[in-house]
Amino acid sequence: MRIEIITTIPQMIEAVASESILGRARKRGLIEVSAVNLRDFTSDRHRTTDDAPFGGGPGMVMKPEPVFAAVESLVSRGAGSKPRILLMTPQGRRFDQKFAEELSGESHVIIICGRYEGVDERIREHLATDEVSIGDYVLTGGELASLVILDAVSRLIPGVLGDETSPETDSFSSGLLEYPQYTRPADFRGLKAPEVLLSGNHAEVAKWRRVEALKRTLQRRPDLLESAPLSDEDRRLLREFETETS
Ligand code: 6GU
Protein backbone atom coordinates (compact mmCIF):
# COMPACT_ATOMS: atom_id res chain seq x y z
CA MET A 1 0.00 0.00 0.00
CA ARG A 2 1.19 3.47 -0.93
CA ILE A 3 0.34 6.39 1.39
CA GLU A 4 1.35 9.91 0.37
CA ILE A 5 0.88 12.78 2.80
CA ILE A 6 0.80 16.31 1.39
CA THR A 7 1.92 18.88 3.97
CA THR A 8 3.95 22.04 4.51
CA ILE A 9 5.69 20.24 7.42
CA PRO A 10 7.11 17.00 5.90
CA GLN A 11 9.62 16.62 8.77
CA MET A 12 6.69 16.03 11.10
CA ILE A 13 5.51 13.04 9.03
CA GLU A 14 9.03 11.66 8.50
CA ALA A 15 9.78 11.83 12.24
CA VAL A 16 6.91 9.47 13.04
CA ALA A 17 6.95 7.25 9.96
CA SER A 18 10.66 6.40 10.40
CA GLU A 19 10.38 4.96 13.91
CA SER A 20 9.37 1.71 15.53
CA ILE A 21 6.70 -0.46 13.88
CA LEU A 22 6.01 1.96 11.02
CA GLY A 23 9.73 2.42 10.31
CA ARG A 24 10.21 -1.35 10.19
CA ALA A 25 7.18 -1.88 7.95
CA ARG A 26 8.59 0.67 5.53
CA LYS A 27 12.04 -0.92 5.49
CA ARG A 28 10.45 -4.29 4.79
CA GLY A 29 8.42 -2.80 1.92
CA LEU A 30 5.04 -3.58 3.52
CA ILE A 31 4.00 0.08 3.29
CA GLU A 32 5.35 2.90 1.12
CA VAL A 33 5.02 6.23 2.92
CA SER A 34 6.02 9.57 1.39
CA ALA A 35 5.83 12.99 2.97
CA VAL A 36 5.21 15.34 0.06
CA ASN A 37 6.20 18.99 0.52
CA LEU A 38 3.34 21.20 -0.67
CA ARG A 39 5.82 24.06 -1.25
CA ASP A 40 7.45 22.02 -4.03
CA PHE A 41 4.22 22.59 -6.01
CA THR A 42 4.12 26.38 -5.72
CA SER A 43 5.29 28.60 -8.57
CA ASP A 44 5.98 31.94 -6.90
CA ARG A 45 9.21 33.17 -5.37
CA HIS A 46 7.88 32.97 -1.83
CA ARG A 47 6.48 29.47 -2.28
CA THR A 48 3.07 30.62 -1.02
CA THR A 49 0.55 27.97 0.02
CA ASP A 50 -2.13 30.15 1.65
CA ASP A 51 -3.80 33.51 1.26
CA ALA A 52 -6.38 35.78 2.92
CA PRO A 53 -10.03 34.73 2.55
CA PHE A 54 -12.20 36.45 -0.06
CA GLY A 55 -14.78 38.54 1.76
CA GLY A 56 -12.40 39.27 4.60
CA GLY A 57 -12.19 37.84 8.09
CA PRO A 58 -9.44 36.34 10.24
CA GLY A 59 -7.05 33.53 9.37
CA MET A 60 -5.57 32.26 6.13
CA VAL A 61 -6.96 29.81 3.60
CA MET A 62 -5.03 27.10 1.72
CA LYS A 63 -4.75 28.07 -1.95
CA PRO A 64 -6.08 25.59 -4.50
CA GLU A 65 -3.30 25.63 -7.12
CA PRO A 66 -0.45 23.96 -5.15
CA VAL A 67 -2.80 21.31 -3.68
CA PHE A 68 -4.30 20.43 -7.08
CA ALA A 69 -0.79 20.36 -8.64
CA ALA A 70 0.54 18.07 -5.88
CA VAL A 71 -2.39 15.65 -6.07
CA GLU A 72 -2.38 15.56 -9.89
CA SER A 73 1.34 14.83 -9.90
CA LEU A 74 0.89 11.93 -7.44
CA VAL A 75 -2.13 10.54 -9.30
CA SER A 76 -0.30 10.60 -12.66
CA ARG A 77 2.65 8.73 -11.12
CA GLY A 78 0.21 6.15 -9.75
CA ALA A 79 -0.03 4.27 -13.09
CA GLY A 80 -3.79 4.34 -13.56
CA SER A 81 -4.80 3.30 -10.02
CA LYS A 82 -7.64 5.39 -8.60
CA PRO A 83 -6.42 6.60 -5.21
CA ARG A 84 -8.54 7.65 -2.24
CA ILE A 85 -7.85 11.33 -1.64
CA LEU A 86 -8.47 12.26 1.98
CA LEU A 87 -8.76 15.85 3.13
CA MET A 88 -8.05 16.14 6.85
CA THR A 89 -10.49 18.58 8.43
CA PRO A 90 -12.44 18.80 11.71
CA GLN A 91 -15.58 19.00 9.53
CA GLY A 92 -15.04 15.56 8.04
CA ARG A 93 -16.43 12.07 8.69
CA ARG A 94 -15.26 10.80 12.08
CA PHE A 95 -12.41 8.30 11.72
CA ASP A 96 -12.99 4.94 13.43
CA GLN A 97 -11.79 1.33 13.28
CA LYS A 98 -14.26 0.49 10.52
CA PHE A 99 -12.92 3.34 8.38
CA ALA A 100 -9.34 2.15 9.10
CA GLU A 101 -10.29 -1.35 7.90
CA GLU A 102 -11.87 0.09 4.76
CA LEU A 103 -8.73 2.13 3.95
CA SER A 104 -6.39 -0.80 4.63
CA GLY A 105 -7.88 -2.49 1.56
CA GLU A 106 -6.85 0.38 -0.76
CA SER A 107 -3.64 0.24 -2.79
CA HIS A 108 -3.08 4.02 -2.93
CA VAL A 109 -4.14 6.70 -0.45
CA ILE A 110 -3.28 10.41 -0.72
CA ILE A 111 -3.79 12.53 2.39
CA ILE A 112 -4.03 16.33 2.24
CA CYS A 113 -3.25 18.02 5.57
CA GLY A 114 -5.54 21.01 5.89
CA ARG A 115 -4.77 23.93 8.10
CA TYR A 116 -7.41 24.56 10.66
CA GLU A 117 -8.47 28.03 9.48
CA GLY A 118 -9.59 26.43 6.28
CA VAL A 119 -8.93 25.27 2.76
CA ASP A 120 -10.37 26.67 -0.44
CA GLU A 121 -13.79 25.06 -0.96
CA ARG A 122 -12.83 23.91 -4.49
CA ILE A 123 -10.37 21.46 -2.90
CA ARG A 124 -13.18 19.86 -0.91
CA GLU A 125 -15.62 19.80 -3.79
CA HIS A 126 -13.49 18.85 -6.76
CA LEU A 127 -10.39 17.07 -5.47
CA ALA A 128 -10.99 15.16 -2.24
CA THR A 129 -12.85 11.84 -2.26
CA ASP A 130 -13.31 11.93 1.54
CA GLU A 131 -13.19 14.56 4.28
CA VAL A 132 -11.90 13.05 7.51
CA SER A 133 -11.77 14.20 11.15
CA ILE A 134 -10.19 12.23 13.99
CA GLY A 135 -12.52 13.52 16.70
CA ASP A 136 -14.40 16.41 18.19
CA TYR A 137 -11.59 18.77 19.10
CA VAL A 138 -9.53 21.21 17.05
CA LEU A 139 -5.87 20.73 16.09
CA THR A 140 -3.60 23.38 14.57
CA GLY A 141 -3.32 21.37 11.36
CA GLY A 142 -4.05 18.01 9.78
CA GLU A 143 -0.54 16.56 10.25
CA LEU A 144 -1.13 14.81 13.59
CA ALA A 145 -4.51 13.61 12.32
CA SER A 146 -2.92 12.18 9.16
CA LEU A 147 -0.39 10.32 11.33
CA VAL A 148 -3.21 8.80 13.36
CA ILE A 149 -4.71 7.47 10.12
CA LEU A 150 -1.33 6.25 8.89
CA ASP A 151 -0.72 4.36 12.14
CA ALA A 152 -4.18 2.84 12.46
CA VAL A 153 -4.25 1.71 8.81
CA SER A 154 -0.66 0.41 8.67
CA ARG A 155 -1.08 -1.94 11.62
CA LEU A 156 -3.94 -3.68 9.78
CA ILE A 157 -1.72 -4.57 6.81
CA PRO A 158 -0.67 -8.22 7.02
CA GLY A 159 2.87 -8.64 8.38
CA VAL A 160 3.19 -5.15 9.87
CA LEU A 161 2.56 -6.29 13.46
CA GLY A 162 4.52 -9.51 13.04
CA ASP A 163 3.04 -12.99 13.01
CA GLU A 164 2.32 -13.41 16.70
CA THR A 165 0.02 -10.39 17.11
CA SER A 166 -3.23 -10.25 15.22
CA PRO A 167 -5.36 -7.13 15.01
CA GLU A 168 -8.42 -9.39 15.11
CA THR A 169 -8.30 -9.55 18.91
CA ASP A 170 -8.23 -5.73 19.25
CA SER A 171 -10.75 -3.70 21.13
CA PHE A 172 -13.20 -2.42 18.53
CA SER A 173 -12.49 -5.29 16.13
CA SER A 174 -14.15 -7.60 18.65
CA GLY A 175 -16.63 -4.79 19.34
CA LEU A 176 -15.69 -4.85 23.05
CA LEU A 177 -13.04 -3.14 25.16
CA GLU A 178 -10.02 -5.26 26.09
CA TYR A 179 -9.86 -7.45 29.19
CA PRO A 180 -7.26 -6.53 31.88
CA GLN A 181 -3.72 -7.84 31.34
CA TYR A 182 -1.10 -8.84 33.94
CA THR A 183 2.50 -9.97 33.78
CA ARG A 184 5.21 -10.95 36.29
CA PRO A 185 5.52 -10.54 39.22
CA ALA A 186 2.32 -12.30 40.35
CA ASP A 187 2.54 -10.32 43.58
CA PHE A 188 3.66 -6.70 43.20
CA ARG A 189 3.79 -4.88 46.56
CA GLY A 190 0.95 -7.05 47.76
CA LEU A 191 -1.14 -6.34 44.64
CA LYS A 192 -1.95 -9.76 43.26
CA ALA A 193 -2.65 -10.88 39.71
CA PRO A 194 -5.91 -12.86 39.50
CA GLU A 195 -5.38 -16.56 40.44
CA VAL A 196 -7.20 -17.84 37.37
CA LEU A 197 -4.57 -16.37 35.03
CA LEU A 198 -1.87 -18.39 36.79
CA SER A 199 -3.92 -21.60 36.79
CA GLY A 200 -2.94 -22.87 33.35
CA ASN A 201 -6.60 -23.68 32.70
CA HIS A 202 -7.09 -22.19 29.24
CA ALA A 203 -10.86 -22.54 29.19
CA GLU A 204 -11.19 -20.79 32.55
CA VAL A 205 -8.79 -18.04 31.42
CA ALA A 206 -10.80 -17.45 28.24
CA LYS A 207 -14.04 -17.31 30.22
CA TRP A 208 -12.60 -14.85 32.77
CA ARG A 209 -11.33 -12.61 29.97
CA ARG A 210 -14.70 -12.58 28.20
CA VAL A 211 -16.48 -11.69 31.45
CA GLU A 212 -14.01 -8.88 32.20
CA ALA A 213 -14.26 -7.50 28.64
CA LEU A 214 -18.05 -7.47 28.90
CA LYS A 215 -18.01 -5.83 32.37
CA ARG A 216 -15.54 -3.18 31.27
CA THR A 217 -17.50 -2.39 28.12
CA LEU A 218 -20.77 -2.16 30.08
CA GLN A 219 -19.18 0.22 32.59
CA ARG A 220 -17.20 2.45 30.25
CA ARG A 221 -18.68 2.21 26.76
CA PRO A 222 -22.22 0.77 26.92
CA ASP A 223 -22.83 2.28 23.46
CA LEU A 224 -20.50 -0.36 21.97
CA LEU A 225 -22.75 -3.19 23.19
CA GLU A 226 -25.45 -2.16 20.72
CA SER A 227 -23.36 -3.25 17.73
CA ALA A 228 -20.97 -5.83 19.28
CA PRO A 229 -21.46 -9.43 18.18
CA LEU A 230 -22.75 -11.08 21.39
CA SER A 231 -23.60 -14.70 22.16
CA ASP A 232 -26.64 -15.75 24.23
CA GLU A 233 -24.23 -16.43 27.10
CA ASP A 234 -22.76 -12.89 26.76
CA ARG A 235 -26.28 -11.41 26.96
CA ARG A 236 -27.11 -13.52 30.01
CA LEU A 237 -23.89 -12.35 31.74
CA LEU A 238 -24.64 -8.71 30.91
CA ARG A 239 -28.14 -8.98 32.42
CA GLU A 240 -26.53 -10.52 35.51
CA PHE A 241 -24.00 -7.63 35.89
CA GLU A 242 -26.75 -5.10 35.38
CA THR A 243 -28.81 -6.52 38.26
CA GLU A 244 -25.67 -6.86 40.45
CA THR A 245 -24.84 -3.17 40.11
CA SER A 246 -28.39 -1.76 40.35
CL1 6GU B 1 -8.40 16.22 10.58
N1 6GU B 1 -7.76 18.57 11.53
C1 6GU B 1 -7.74 19.51 12.48
N2 6GU B 1 -7.14 20.68 12.25
N3 6GU B 1 -8.32 19.35 13.66
C2 6GU B 1 -8.90 18.18 13.88
C3 6GU B 1 -8.95 17.15 12.95
C4 6GU B 1 -8.35 17.40 11.75
N4 6GU B 1 -9.61 16.12 13.46
C5 6GU B 1 -9.96 16.49 14.69
N5 6GU B 1 -9.56 17.73 14.94
Side-chain angles (χ1 to χ4, degrees):
M1 164 182 238
R2 195 141 68 95
I3 304 184
E4 291 161 317
I5 303 179
I6 300 170
T7 170
T8 54
I9 325 166
Q11 326 83 278
M12 216 169 143
I13 307 304
E14 240 352 283
V16 173
S18 308
E19 298 296 328
S20 188
I21 293 175
L22 296 184
R24 239 171 291 139
R26 265 172 111 185
K27 279 207 190 102
R28 293 168 57 205
L30 297 170
I31 49 170
E32 275 179 81
V33 182
S34 311
V36 176
N37 193 342
L38 183 60
R39 288 194 202 286
D40 292 345
F41 295 88
T42 55
S43 45
D44 64 312
R45 201 158 58 85
H46 296 106
R47 311 228 283 166
T48 312
T49 60
D50 57 8
D51 205 341
F54 278 136
M60 295 288 272
V61 176
M62 269 174 87
K63 290 166 64 59
E65 307 97 309
V67 179
F68 272 77
V71 169
E72 283 161 3
S73 159
L74 298 174
V75 171
S76 68
R77 266 187 264 160
S81 70
K82 257 214 171 302
R84 288 288 276 270
I85 303 169
L86 312 187
L87 174 64
M88 301 310 301
T89 161
Q91 302 172 50
R93 164 180 170 193
R94 176 98 64 87
F95 185 66
D96 60 13
Q97 192 63 27
K98 198 162 154 272
F99 201 170
E101 280 161 18
E102 183 185 325
L103 289 176
S104 73
E106 298 280 346
S107 58
H108 188 189
V109 176
I110 296 172
I111 305 182
I112 305 162
C113 298
R115 49 180 301 158
Y116 88 97
E117 294 100 328
V119 307
D120 188 283
E121 189 66 13
R122 291 164 288 192
I123 297 171
R124 300 178 189 287
E125 285 191 337
H126 302 288
L127 193 61
T129 60
D130 303 79
E131 292 180 49
V132 188
S133 162
I134 62 162
D136 293 340
Y137 39 81
V138 182
L139 305 170
T140 53
E143 283 74 16
L144 287 171
S146 75
L147 289 168
V148 166
I149 308 251
L150 172 66
D151 190 285
V153 171
S154 296
R155 66 185 290 289
L156 296 175
I157 291 169
V160 168
L161 290 182
D163 299 331
E164 62 283 7
T165 18
S166 154
E168 273 128 52
T169 60
D170 290 344
S171 285
F172 298 106
S173 294
S174 74
L176 299 178
L177 299 183
E178 300 248 19
Y179 49 77
Q181 298 268 30
Y182 294 85
T183 187
R184 275 175 283 273
D187 183 337
F188 170 68
R189 300 181 181 175
L191 304 171
K192 299 203 171 56
E195 263 324 311
V196 58
L197 299 180
L198 313 176
S199 69
N201 184 332
H202 297 302
E204 284 300 312
V205 169
K207 194 171 148 207
W208 181 87
R209 286 179 167 169
R210 187 72 186 172
V211 166
E212 294 302 316
L214 286 164
K215 274 189 184 163
R216 184 164 278 194
T217 309
L218 180 65
Q219 274 168 3
R220 300 185 186 183
R221 291 293 306 277
D223 57 298
L224 294 178
L225 294 171
E226 281 158 37
S227 47
L230 298 174
S231 68
D232 290 346
E233 174 64 4
D234 291 334
R235 290 180 199 285
R236 192 191 64 72
L237 287 165
L238 284 167
R239 281 194 299 274
E240 200 177 293
F241 310 145
E242 270 166 340
T243 49
E244 270 170 26
T245 52
S246 61

Coordinates of all heavy atoms in Angstrom, one line a residue, residues 141-182:
G141 N -3.4 21.8 12.8 CA -3.3 21.4 11.4 C -3.6 19.9 11.2 O -3.7 19.2 12.2
G142 N -3.7 19.4 10.0 CA -4.1 18.0 9.8 C -2.9 17.0 9.9 O -3.1 15.8 9.8
E143 N -1.7 17.5 10.2 CA -0.5 16.6 10.3 C -0.7 15.5 11.3 O -0.5 14.3 11.0 CB 0.8 17.3 10.5 CG 1.3 18.1 9.2 CD 0.5 19.3 8.9 OE1 -0.3 19.8 9.8 OE2 0.7 19.8 7.8
L144 N -1.0 15.8 12.5 CA -1.1 14.8 13.6 C -2.3 13.9 13.2 O -2.2 12.7 13.4 CB -1.4 15.5 15.0 CG -0.1 16.1 15.6 CD1 -0.5 16.9 16.8 CD2 0.9 15.1 15.9
A145 N -3.4 14.4 12.7 CA -4.5 13.6 12.3 C -4.1 12.6 11.2 O -4.5 11.5 11.3 CB -5.7 14.5 11.9
S146 N -3.3 13.1 10.2 CA -2.9 12.2 9.2 C -2.0 11.0 9.7 O -2.1 9.9 9.2 CB -2.2 12.9 8.1 OG -0.9 13.3 8.5
L147 N -1.3 11.4 10.7 CA -0.4 10.3 11.3 C -1.2 9.3 12.1 O -0.9 8.1 12.1 CB 0.7 11.0 12.2 CG 1.8 11.7 11.5 CD1 2.6 12.6 12.4 CD2 2.6 10.8 10.7
V148 N -2.3 9.7 12.7 CA -3.2 8.8 13.4 C -3.8 7.8 12.3 O -3.8 6.6 12.6 CB -4.3 9.6 14.1 CG1 -5.5 8.7 14.5 CG2 -3.8 10.3 15.3
I149 N -4.2 8.3 11.2 CA -4.7 7.5 10.1 C -3.6 6.5 9.6 O -3.9 5.3 9.5 CB -5.2 8.3 8.9 CG1 -6.1 9.4 9.4 CG2 -5.7 7.5 7.8 CD1 -7.5 9.3 9.1
L150 N -2.4 7.1 9.4 CA -1.3 6.2 8.9 C -1.1 5.1 9.9 O -0.9 3.9 9.4 CB -0.1 7.1 8.8 CG 1.2 6.4 8.4 CD1 1.2 5.7 7.1 CD2 2.4 7.3 8.6
D151 N -1.0 5.4 11.1 CA -0.7 4.4 12.1 C -1.8 3.3 12.2 O -1.6 2.1 12.1 CB -0.5 5.1 13.5 CG 0.0 4.1 14.6 OD1 -0.8 3.3 15.0 OD2 1.2 4.2 14.9
A152 N -3.1 3.8 12.3 CA -4.2 2.8 12.5 C -4.4 1.9 11.2 O -4.7 0.8 11.4 CB -5.5 3.6 12.7
V153 N -4.1 2.5 10.0 CA -4.3 1.7 8.8 C -3.1 0.8 8.6 O -3.3 -0.4 8.3 CB -4.4 2.6 7.6 CG1 -4.3 1.9 6.3 CG2 -5.7 3.4 7.7
S154 N -1.9 1.2 8.9 CA -0.7 0.4 8.7 C -0.7 -0.9 9.5 O -0.3 -1.9 9.0 CB 0.6 1.2 9.0 OG 0.7 2.3 8.2
R155 N -1.1 -0.8 10.8 CA -1.1 -1.9 11.6 C -2.1 -3.0 11.2 O -2.0 -4.2 11.7 CB -1.3 -1.6 13.1 CG -2.6 -1.0 13.4 CD -2.6 -0.5 14.9 NE -2.6 -1.6 15.8 CZ -3.6 -2.5 16.0 NH1 -4.7 -2.4 15.4 NH2 -3.5 -3.4 16.9
L156 N -3.0 -2.7 10.3 CA -3.9 -3.7 9.8 C -3.4 -4.4 8.5 O -4.0 -5.4 8.1 CB -5.3 -3.0 9.4 CG -6.0 -2.4 10.6 CD1 -7.3 -1.6 10.1 CD2 -6.4 -3.4 11.6
I157 N -2.3 -3.9 8.0 CA -1.7 -4.6 6.8 C -1.0 -5.8 7.2 O -0.1 -5.8 8.1 CB -0.8 -3.5 6.0 CG1 -1.8 -2.5 5.5 CG2 0.0 -4.2 5.0 CD1 -1.1 -1.3 4.9
P158 N -1.3 -7.0 6.6 CA -0.7 -8.2 7.0 C 0.9 -8.1 7.1 O 1.5 -7.7 6.1 CB -1.1 -9.2 5.9 CG -2.4 -8.6 5.4 CD -2.2 -7.1 5.5
G159 N 1.4 -8.6 8.2 CA 2.9 -8.6 8.4 C 3.4 -7.5 9.2 O 4.5 -7.6 9.8
V160 N 2.7 -6.4 9.2 CA 3.2 -5.1 9.9 C 3.4 -5.4 11.4 O 4.4 -5.0 12.0 CB 2.3 -3.9 9.6 CG1 2.6 -2.7 10.5 CG2 2.4 -3.5 8.1
L161 N 2.4 -6.0 12.0 CA 2.6 -6.3 13.5 C 3.4 -7.5 13.8 O 3.6 -7.8 14.9 CB 1.2 -6.4 14.1 CG 0.3 -5.2 14.2 CD1 -1.0 -5.5 14.9 CD2 1.0 -4.1 14.9
G162 N 3.8 -8.2 12.8 CA 4.5 -9.5 13.0 C 3.5 -10.6 13.1 O 2.3 -10.3 13.2
D163 N 4.0 -11.9 13.1 CA 3.0 -13.0 13.0 C 2.3 -13.3 14.3 O 1.2 -13.7 14.3 CB 3.8 -14.2 12.6 CG 4.5 -14.1 11.3 OD1 3.9 -13.3 10.5 OD2 5.5 -14.7 11.0
E164 N 2.9 -13.0 15.4 CA 2.3 -13.4 16.7 C 1.1 -12.5 17.1 O 0.2 -13.0 17.8 CB 3.4 -13.5 17.8 CG 4.1 -12.3 18.2 CD 5.2 -11.8 17.2 OE1 5.3 -12.5 16.1 OE2 5.9 -10.9 17.5
T165 N 1.1 -11.3 16.7 CA 0.0 -10.4 17.1 C -1.0 -10.2 16.0 O -0.6 -9.9 14.9 CB 0.5 -9.0 17.5 OG1 1.8 -8.8 17.0 CG2 0.5 -8.8 19.0
S166 N -2.2 -10.4 16.3 CA -3.2 -10.3 15.2 C -4.2 -9.1 15.6 O -4.6 -9.1 16.7 CB -4.0 -11.6 15.1 OG -5.3 -11.3 14.6
P167 N -4.4 -8.2 14.7 CA -5.4 -7.1 15.0 C -6.8 -7.6 15.2 O -7.6 -6.9 15.7 CB -5.3 -6.2 13.8 CG -4.5 -6.9 12.7 CD -3.9 -8.1 13.3
E168 N -7.0 -8.9 14.9 CA -8.4 -9.4 15.1 C -8.9 -9.5 16.6 O -10.1 -9.5 16.8 CB -8.6 -10.8 14.5 CG -8.9 -10.7 13.0 CD -8.0 -11.5 12.2 OE1 -7.8 -12.7 12.5 OE2 -7.4 -11.0 11.2
T169 N -7.9 -9.5 17.5 CA -8.3 -9.5 18.9 C -8.4 -8.2 19.5 O -8.6 -8.0 20.7 CB -7.3 -10.4 19.7 OG1 -6.0 -9.8 19.6 CG2 -7.3 -11.8 19.2
D170 N -8.2 -7.1 18.7 CA -8.2 -5.7 19.3 C -9.6 -5.4 19.9 O -10.6 -5.9 19.4 CB -8.1 -4.7 18.1 CG -6.7 -4.7 17.6 OD1 -5.8 -5.2 18.2 OD2 -6.5 -4.1 16.5
S171 N -9.5 -4.4 20.8 CA -10.7 -3.7 21.1 C -11.3 -3.2 19.8 O -10.5 -2.9 18.9 CB -10.4 -2.4 21.9 OG -10.1 -2.7 23.2
F172 N -12.6 -3.0 19.7 CA -13.2 -2.4 18.5 C -13.3 -3.4 17.4 O -14.3 -3.4 16.7 CB -12.5 -1.1 18.1 CG -12.6 -0.1 19.1 CD1 -11.5 0.3 19.8 CD2 -13.8 0.6 19.4 CE1 -11.6 1.3 20.8 CE2 -13.9 1.5 20.4 CZ -12.8 1.9 21.1
S173 N -12.3 -4.3 17.1 CA -12.5 -5.3 16.1 C -13.4 -6.3 16.7 O -14.3 -6.8 16.0 CB -11.2 -5.9 15.7 OG -10.4 -5.0 15.1
S174 N -13.2 -6.7 18.0 CA -14.1 -7.6 18.6 C -15.4 -6.9 19.0 O -16.4 -7.5 19.4 CB -13.5 -8.2 19.9 OG -13.5 -7.2 20.9
G175 N -15.5 -5.6 18.9 CA -16.6 -4.8 19.3 C -16.7 -4.5 20.8 O -17.6 -3.8 21.3
L176 N -15.7 -5.1 21.6 CA -15.7 -4.9 23.1 C -14.4 -4.2 23.4 O -13.4 -4.3 22.7 CB -15.8 -6.2 23.8 CG -17.0 -7.1 23.6 CD1 -16.9 -8.4 24.3 CD2 -18.3 -6.3 24.0
L177 N -14.3 -3.6 24.6 CA -13.0 -3.1 25.2 C -12.2 -4.4 25.6 O -12.7 -5.4 25.8 CB -13.3 -2.2 26.4 CG -14.1 -0.9 26.1 CD1 -14.1 -0.1 27.3 CD2 -13.4 -0.1 24.9
E178 N -10.9 -4.2 25.7 CA -10.0 -5.3 26.1 C -10.2 -5.7 27.6 O -10.4 -4.8 28.4 CB -8.6 -4.8 25.9 CG -8.3 -4.4 24.5 CD -7.4 -5.4 23.7 OE1 -7.2 -6.6 24.2 OE2 -6.8 -5.0 22.7
Y179 N -9.9 -6.9 27.8 CA -9.9 -7.4 29.2 C -8.6 -7.0 29.8 O -7.6 -6.6 29.2 CB -9.9 -9.0 29.2 CG -9.0 -9.6 28.2 CD1 -7.6 -9.8 28.5 CD2 -9.4 -10.1 27.0 CE1 -6.7 -10.3 27.7 CE2 -8.5 -10.7 26.1 CZ -7.2 -10.8 26.4 OH -6.3 -11.4 25.6
P180 N -8.5 -7.0 31.2 CA -7.3 -6.5 31.9 C -6.1 -7.5 31.7 O -6.4 -8.7 31.6 CB -7.7 -6.5 33.4 CG -9.1 -6.6 33.4 CD -9.6 -7.3 32.2
Q181 N -4.9 -7.0 31.5 CA -3.7 -7.8 31.3 C -2.8 -7.7 32.6 O -2.7 -6.7 33.2 CB -2.9 -7.3 30.1 CG -3.7 -7.4 28.8 CD -3.4 -8.7 28.1 OE1 -3.2 -9.7 28.7 NE2 -3.5 -8.6 26.8
Y182 N -2.1 -8.8 32.9 CA -1.1 -8.8 33.9 C 0.1 -9.6 33.4 O 0.1 -10.4 32.6 CB -1.6 -9.6 35.2 CG -2.8 -8.9 35.8 CD1 -4.1 -9.1 35.4 CD2 -2.6 -8.1 36.9 CE1 -5.2 -8.5 36.0 CE2 -3.7 -7.5 37.6 CZ -5.0 -7.7 37.1 OH -6.0 -7.1 37.7

